[in-house]
């Protein structure tokens, strides 16, 4: 059950009838330790606008739970995390389209959902001008393999 009373973590209907579409999936399977590590990374770098990020939030995001969405604090940094997960073979290449189709990411101002185009542009910008957060997220995700 997700806390929908918080204005920072919303329960969002994606408007798609589940009888007429294939379920969305990032094709991932994390151990409890890996999921805890991803959550710690997202919390440490303030990727999402929630008072306290929970493992259950990340579990719902990666499971593509229907009706789940979370407000993004910094799209560039979120894309760095997902790209690092892809590079380390934790998720599949189609993550941007899955996140868009499922409407899982809400922009910081809460006015619109983050699109695949937003994610692609943000990732390109992060790659062009990597910062300490970029390298920190990459390192944290790389360490999940060990």
């Amino acid at each position: 059950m997700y806390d929908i009373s918080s204005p920072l973590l919303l329960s969002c209907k994606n408007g798609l009838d589940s009888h007429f579409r294939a379920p969305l999936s990032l094709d991932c399977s994390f151990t409890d330790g890996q999921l805890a590590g991803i959550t710690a990374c997202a919390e440490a770098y303030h990727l999402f606008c929630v008072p306290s990020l929970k493992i259950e939030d990340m579990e719902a995001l990666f499971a593509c739970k229907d009706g789940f969405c979370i407000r993004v604090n910094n799209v560039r940094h979120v894309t760095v995390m997902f790209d690092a997960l892809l590079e380390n073979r934790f998720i599949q290449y189609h993550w941007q389209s899955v996140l868009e189709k499922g409407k899982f990411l809400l922009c910081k101002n809460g006015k619109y959902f983050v699109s695949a185009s937003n994610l692609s542009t943000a990732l390109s910008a992060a790659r062009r001008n990597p910062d300490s957060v970029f390298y920190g997220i990459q390192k944290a995700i790389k360490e999940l393999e060990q």
Side-chain angles (χ1 to χ4, degrees):
M1 191 74 180
Y2 307 113
D3 180 12
I4 60 173
S5 63
S6 169
L8 301 176
L9 181 63
L10 306 174
S11 176
C12 309
K13 292 295 178 191
N14 61 19
L16 301 174
D17 187 341
S18 61
H19 297 291
F20 299 108
R21 65 175 170 85
L24 296 172
S25 174
L26 292 169
D27 297 325
C28 56
S29 179
F30 299 110
T31 66
D32 291 342
Q34 289 169 334
L35 197 54
I38 294 167
T39 304
C41 174
E43 181 77 5
Y45 292 104
H46 310 288
L47 301 185
F48 302 102
C49 296
V50 293
S52 178
L53 188 65
K54 298 176 182 148
I55 289 176
E56 292 82 8
D57 299 328
M58 298 305 288
E59 194 170 46
L61 178 59
F62 288 113
C64 300
K65 294 280 186 190
D66 192 35
F68 176 83
C69 70
I70 190 166
R71 193 174 294 191
V72 172
N73 188 40
N74 185 312
V75 176
R76 284 187 189 187
H77 295 159
V78 170
T79 62
V80 169
M81 182 186 73
F82 277 94
D83 188 55
L85 290 166
L86 174 64
E87 286 179 8
N88 290 280
R89 298 184 178 143
F90 287 112
I91 62 173
Q92 297 298 316
Y93 70 92
H94 59 283
W95 62 270
Q96 293 175 358
S97 64
V98 169
L99 294 176
E100 176 183 51
K101 287 176 185 174
K103 297 184 179 181
F104 298 119
L105 301 178
L106 192 62
C107 72
K108 188 173 184 174
N109 68 14
K111 293 183 180 180
Y112 61 90
F113 292 100
V114 178
S115 70
S117 177
N118 298 142
L119 294 169
S120 178
T121 300
L123 182 57
S124 293
R127 286 177 175 164
R128 274 193 312 272
N129 297 306
D131 58 8
S132 61
V133 173
F134 178 93
Y135 293 115
I137 292 171
Q138 283 191 328
K139 180 180 178 189
I141 299 303
K142 179 76 172 163
E143 290 174 355
L144 296 174
E145 292 181 326
Q146 301 170 358

